Amino acid sequence: MKPEETIDFHIRWAWLKIAKMYNRMGAQVGISQSMGLVLLSIDPKLGTPSTSLGPMMGMEPTSLTRTLKSMEEKGWIARKPDLNDGRVSRIYLTEQGEKLREVSKETVIDFNERLLQSIDPQKLQHFREVIEMIDQQTMN
């Protein structure tokens, strides 16, 4: 079987193109695709425990640690101890982080709106059904 005949080839190919597009757009404001994802994953009011970010985003701990460190050095996030559990560190957005979160949010919404305008609703429903089936297969 040729790679392009497999389902996962097309999923990887599409995701790599999407990530490249987000990186290109993010570069205009100095962020990467993974940084944008972190910004979108942090609860803007309550902050988010650092230990829940990785699983929520599907990032490996070492990659997430590097990304968080870089974002903290740039002043986009701040780590603070959890008020209820001192062992837990929560990640909060700074004012600059909130601004970049909005840019990331707008970028994702714009891309999704463009997709929704060009994809037939019935085809989109089939796509979602297929992706759900793929997700279920990865749990086995």
Side-chain angles (χ1 to χ4, degrees), residues 62-96:
T62 52
S63 297
L64 180 59
T65 300
R66 278 194 311 269
T67 301
L68 291 175
K69 183 177 181 196
S70 174
M71 293 173 74
E72 193 171 20
E73 288 170 356
K74 293 174 188 281
W76 301 343
I77 61 168
R79 297 176 202 246
K80 298 178 186 174
D82 187 277
L83 297 176
N84 299 320
D85 185 350
R87 299 169 298 172
V88 176
S89 173
R90 294 186 83 80
I91 307 294
Y92 292 89
L93 297 171
T94 63
E95 188 176 322
Q96 181 64 24

Side-chain angles (χ1 to χ4, degrees), residues 24-125:
R24 188 177 60 248
M25 296 170 93
Q28 297 171 11
V29 292
I31 65 174
S32 66
Q33 176 268 328
S34 59
M35 289 174 172
L37 184 56
V38 169
L39 292 167
L40 292 172
S41 298
I42 296 171
D43 185 303
K45 294 193 181 359
L46 304 173
T48 302
S50 57
T51 52
S52 21
L53 280 174
M56 192 182 344
M57 299 171 25
M59 272 181 95
E60 292 297 320
T62 52
S63 297
L64 180 59
T65 300
R66 278 194 311 269
T67 301
L68 291 175
K69 183 177 181 196
S70 174
M71 293 173 74
E72 193 171 20
E73 288 170 356
K74 293 174 188 281
W76 301 343
I77 61 168
R79 297 176 202 246
K80 298 178 186 174
D82 187 277
L83 297 176
N84 299 320
D85 185 350
R87 299 169 298 172
V88 176
S89 173
R90 294 186 83 80
I91 307 294
Y92 292 89
L93 297 171
T94 63
E95 188 176 322
Q96 181 64 24
E98 288 177 12
K99 290 176 185 173
L100 290 171
R101 183 182 195 277
E102 281 306 309
V103 170
S104 298
K105 184 177 174 182
E106 290 171 16
T107 301
V108 171
I109 289 171
D110 178 63
F111 178 59
N112 277 269
E113 285 176 353
R114 285 187 289 133
L115 288 174
L116 291 171
Q117 290 173 2
S118 63
I119 299 174
D120 176 89
Q122 188 175 10
K123 287 183 178 182
L124 185 58
Q125 181 58 35

